[in-house]
Amino acid sequence: MNHGIAENDSSERRHPPKARSLKYICKTVLNFILHQWLLIGIGVACVLAYYFPNVAKHGGVIRAEYSILYGAMAVIFLTSGLSIPRQKLFTHLLNWRLHFLVQVFSFIFIPALTLAVVHIILAGDSHGHIDRAVLAGYIFTACIPTTIASNVVMTRSAGGDDAAALVEVVIANFLGPFLTAGWTVTLLPDTAEFDPWRQASGDLRQLVRWAWPEQTERMMQTYRISKLGSACLLLIVWMTFSTCFATGALQTLSVQSVLFVVFFNIALYIALTGVCFVLSRPPEVLLVNRFGMRRIFKRITPEETIAVCFCGPAKSTALGIPLLYAMWAPVDLYTKARTSVPVLLYTTEQICIAHFFVHALQRWQKNLNEKQDVESTVDHVSSSGMTVLSLADEPPDQKGAGRCKTVHD
């Protein structure tokens, strides 16, 4: 016993409590940084852009309109394409209900809802307290496709079908360049205030993945190349914030415009996620077989539901910002910077809010699985009980005959 006490004393001398607690704190902080590195990176990019706006602004030190806008975009699309296994593409390629739900929601429902909100604001804000560039930016934001990197990460973290998220991201970002410009200009309110935004002028990664699927998967896992796409996304955020600060686009926005953007983004993302969940898992009242409603409102799997909840409301900074600057090339840089504020802040806030939905959807799926396990157990017990009762109700001579027959066999 004395020997054990001596060992404990020597252990405490080697690792004093204060040193152990310091090590634990450092480990906790490091784990937090590793798990939230994208969110922290956005904060760092914002701070750098505020204090050194001339480095990454358009026409700045590093010529971000070429080095980041083209270079980072190429890396993002390359890594996104490499992340898609051929088998998973085949599995979800014919899932028309999932495609319809995500793409119609992203390219039709969200623009329609946003346009209604814009017209309500225009009707009630005759003095222009809400900057018209912000409203034009929201219409553009509603028309851009879902985000590339974070959807898959969030879906996987919440226990959803990341393959479904991957396929929907690819489809959306393929359609985006063809739909966004024309759709945005079409939806702009027909007033003189929005005339500046009517001037809109209007691959290899898959081949690599399909030709060498196993080698590509091993390389992606070993070197964590998918993280490179997220890092390039931070470069785009840095460039956009730098341009906003350098031109004064953020500083000159009215207080009403800033408050509107911040709180409207939160409310919009939460509401859109709720609508996605209801459309994916409609209540029982919509599942009745009348007027073909069962075919329209049909529940998809919990894993696909999680993918829809992250893909439907999300919008892409990586594709949105380059499209914005390409569409409105004739427009002055200050106007483009103000227009980019809704895109930038919505895509930033959606990452923050999505972290909470990861835990909420994890809990929902866990509760659903536990409920199904309990129901299956009850059904099994009930069927066993019915079998026992049926045997007990048989006449004695039939039971004996059955036993004799069994022995004879």
Side-chain angles (χ1 to χ4, degrees):
M1 185 167 179
N2 292 334
H3 180 66
I5 295 174
E7 283 186 350
N8 291 335
D9 292 341
S10 62
S11 176
E12 288 183 359
R13 282 195 298 270
R14 288 196 305 269
H15 306 286
K18 189 175 292 185
R20 288 203 302 270
S21 63
L22 182 61
K23 182 179 179 182
Y24 175 77
I25 293 172
C26 293
K27 185 178 180 181
T28 304
V29 171
L30 182 60
N31 287 333
F32 176 79
I33 293 174
L34 291 175
H35 283 89
Q36 308 295 334
W37 72 274
L38 184 59
L39 200 58
I40 296 171
I42 291 174
V44 172
C46 183
V47 172
L48 290 175
Y50 180 78
Y51 286 104
F52 310 101
N54 292 323
V55 176
K57 71 171 186 177
H58 270 240
V61 176
I62 64 172
R63 305 290 292 178
E65 67 271 26
Y66 303 113
S67 60
I68 293 179
L69 215 53
Y70 294 125
M73 275 299 298
V75 173
I76 287 173
F77 278 104
L78 177 64
T79 56
S80 298
L82 292 175
S83 301
I84 305 173
R86 182 175 55 191
Q87 296 80 2
K88 290 186 177 182
L89 275 177
F90 285 144
T91 302
H92 288 284
L93 199 58
L94 300 179
N95 194 343
W96 65 268
R97 186 182 297 277
L98 185 67
H99 304 331
F100 181 83
L101 186 59
V102 174
Q103 307 307 330
V104 169
F105 187 85
S106 181
F107 287 113
I108 296 180
F109 179 81
I110 296 179
L113 177 63
T114 305
L115 184 62
V117 173
V118 167
H119 279 289
I120 291 172
I121 293 172
L122 290 175
D125 183 33
S126 57
H127 297 291
H129 295 299
I130 304 299
D131 197 304
R132 294 327 185 220
V134 168
L135 299 182
Y138 264 116
I139 294 176
F140 173 77
T141 303
C143 296
I144 61 178
T146 187
T147 187
I148 299 172
S150 61
N151 279 347
V152 180
V153 175
M154 299 294 181
T155 300
R156 188 183 297 119
S157 300
D161 191 338
D162 58 339
L166 281 168
V167 172
E168 297 311 314
V169 164
V170 170
I171 294 174
N173 284 272
F174 174 77
L175 296 175
F178 300 100
L179 297 178
T180 299
W183 197 212
T184 301
V185 176
T186 302
L187 295 181
L188 285 172
D190 191 17
T191 61
E193 297 172 297
F194 292 91
D195 284 344
W197 291 275
R198 299 186 201 284
Q199 306 176 39
S201 51
D203 75 51
L204 174 62
R205 60 189 184 276
Q206 285 300 318
L207 178 62
V208 173
R209 179 80 207 199
W210 279 53
W212 300 284
E214 295 181 2
Q215 295 89 335
T216 305
E217 178 68 24
R218 192 180 308 115
M219 182 184 67
M220 294 289 292
Q221 294 295 331
T222 303
Y223 300 103
R224 300 189 180 275
I225 295 178
S226 59
K227 298 290 184 183
L228 188 59
S230 300
C232 290
L233 178 62
L234 293 179
L235 292 177
I236 294 176
V237 171
W238 178 38
M239 178 202 72
T240 311
F241 268 120
S242 296
T243 304
C244 289
F245 286 128
T247 58
L250 277 174
Q251 298 92 317
T252 56
L253 282 179
S254 65
V255 175
Q256 294 92 331
S257 297
V258 174
L259 292 176
F260 169 74
V261 170
V262 172
F263 290 105
F264 181 67
N265 287 343
I266 297 173
L268 182 63
Y269 186 81
I270 293 174
L272 292 177
T273 304
V275 173
C276 282
F277 184 83
V278 172
L279 291 176
S280 303
R281 307 284 293 184
E284 294 290 341
V285 67
L286 295 176
L287 295 177
V288 293
N289 196 15
R290 294 179 184 174
F291 312 110
M293 291 181 67
R294 186 178 288 275
R295 292 180 60 85
I296 299 173
F297 297 101
K298 184 179 179 181
R299 290 182 174 178
I300 60 178
T301 65
E303 291 78 15
E304 290 180 350
T305 299
I306 294 174
V308 171
C309 286
F310 285 115
C311 291
K315 294 298 179 179
S316 172
T317 306
L319 188 60
I321 297 299
L323 274 176
L324 187 148
Y325 281 93
M327 278 175 54
W328 287 304
V331 179
D332 62 280
L333 185 59
Y334 174 67
T335 302
K336 285 188 285 191
R338 284 188 300 148
T339 310
S340 69
V341 170
V343 187
L344 183 61
L345 293 186
Y346 181 83
T347 52
T348 301
E349 289 180 69
Q350 79 185 8
I351 295 174
C352 303
I353 304 169
H355 279 77
F356 295 98
F357 278 115
V358 166
H359 300 292
L361 291 170
Q362 271 181 341
R363 186 174 302 176
W364 167 74
Q365 188 182 31
K366 181 181 178 182
N367 293 338
L368 190 65
N369 291 336
E370 289 177 353
K371 182 180 178 181
Q372 290 175 348
D373 291 341
V374 170
E375 289 177 352
S376 61
T377 303
V378 170
D379 291 341
H380 178 71
V381 172
S382 299
S383 61
S384 301
M386 291 297 293
T387 304
V388 172
L389 288 175
S390 63
L391 290 174
D393 290 340
E394 289 182 1
D397 55 344
Q398 290 186 10
K399 293 180 184 179
R403 284 195 298 270
C404 291
K405 187 175 184 302
T406 303
V407 171
H408 180 70
D409 292 340

